[in-house]
Amino acid sequence: MDVARPYLALLPPVRAATLLALRRTVAPMTGREVARRAGVSQPAVLEALKQFVEHGLVWSQPAGRANLYSLNEEHLLVAAVDEIFDVRAKFVNRMAAAVSHWEIPPLHVSVFGSMARGDGGRDSDIDLLVVRPRFVDEESDDFVWRGQLDTLVHEVKLWTGNRAALVELSSEELRTMNRDKHRLLTEIRRDGIRVCGEYLDKILLRKPERARQHSVAG
């Protein structure tokens, strides 16, 4: 799947750009304005608009020497249009639903990289950050935890056709990366989309477990 423009799996580029331009405004537009917003030549956009009008998905009304075009919000296919233009939100929601059933809940899960930024292409990996709970360490052979991660990687492939690139960290590793101003963590904090669990800033501000225990004992 093209992570920047997943709708191209279903729509030719000109039709997709035309529909997207119409979807982003409620005001009727001339063919010239639709073409400008779509970033496509006016003749190509006018041909796409003509076909959409024939199917009733787009309204056309005369305005002097031009026509004004707008999306027919009552059309049965508008819901489908919304679906294909909001794949990223659908992906995040589906992943959140899948992780909510984990026997061992993660401390945090987020999507980052090209999927979060909305760039990349068909060959882009889908980058995921998973923060382990405190009682699961990096060398853990807990088959339940490892099985959950393997299942998530497999599900991402099924949902998108793209490979999942999983970054698994502990909260202490996160804090170390933050102290070191690690580029990867900077990118995740800037672009990442939280799927579930605690917010990264809350994890980063929390004192290490050992320090908290010492404070209580004292």
Side-chain angles (χ1 to χ4, degrees):
M1 180 178 80
D2 186 324
V3 297
R5 300 180 297 171
Y7 43 81
L8 293 184
L10 296 175
L11 288 172
V14 173
R15 288 194 184 188
T18 301
L19 271 182
L20 190 56
L22 290 169
R23 198 72 191 100
R24 286 175 171 168
T25 182
V26 295
M29 296 183 290
T30 65
R32 181 187 297 274
E33 178 64 13
V34 175
R36 187 186 68 79
R37 295 194 179 208
V40 181
S41 71
Q42 187 173 345
V45 163
L46 289 175
E47 179 60 30
L49 287 170
K50 177 184 176 183
Q51 295 180 38
F52 288 138
V53 169
E54 289 174 352
H55 288 281
L57 184 59
V58 169
W59 292 124
S60 173
Q61 58 187 78
R65 298 176 60 184
N67 289 317
L68 293 177
Y69 299 93
S70 59
L71 199 62
N72 175 8
E73 298 287 349
E74 299 301 319
H75 200 284
L76 292 172
L77 290 177
V78 166
V81 171
D82 289 339
E83 285 279 322
I84 64 173
F85 286 139
D86 205 12
V87 169
R88 182 169 58 181
K90 189 175 183 65
F91 171 78
V92 170
N93 291 338
R94 182 175 290 190
M95 189 160 67
V99 174
S100 70
H101 295 294
W102 282 13
E103 185 175 341
I104 303 176
L107 196 59
H108 170 92
V109 177
S110 59
V111 181
F112 66 98
S114 57
M115 183 66 162
R117 293 190 304 268
D119 55 27
R122 286 177 295 178
D123 298 327
S124 297
D125 291 341
I126 294 182
D127 299 298
L128 307 176
L129 170 66
V130 177
V131 181
R132 297 188 298 272
R134 296 178 183 85
F135 55 86
V136 177
D137 59 42
E138 185 177 7
E139 303 301 325
S140 173
D141 59 356
D142 189 315
F143 70 93
V144 174
W145 175 253
R146 297 298 159 197
Q148 291 175 164
L149 296 180
D150 291 343
T151 297
L152 181 61
V153 169
H154 177 65
E155 288 174 332
V156 168
K157 180 70 172 179
L158 287 178
W159 298 338
T160 66
N162 300 66
R163 188 180 76 91
L166 184 66
V167 176
E168 180 197 356
L169 298 170
S170 67
S171 55
E172 184 56 37
E173 287 170 328
L174 271 178
R175 284 190 286 270
T176 298
M177 292 173 70
N178 189 45
R179 286 194 300 268
D180 296 341
K181 296 182 173 19
H182 196 286
R183 182 186 60 80
L184 177 61
L185 182 56
T186 300
E187 176 188 342
I188 294 172
R189 295 183 73 184
R190 183 187 66 229
D191 303 324
I193 300 173
R194 173 180 163 273
V195 174
C196 63
E198 296 184 11
Y199 288 91
L200 282 181
D201 285 347
K202 182 178 180 180
I203 297 172
L204 291 170
L205 289 171
R206 182 184 298 123
K207 294 181 180 179
E209 189 70 18
R210 284 179 298 176
R212 285 175 30 193
Q213 290 175 345
H214 177 73
S215 175
V216 172

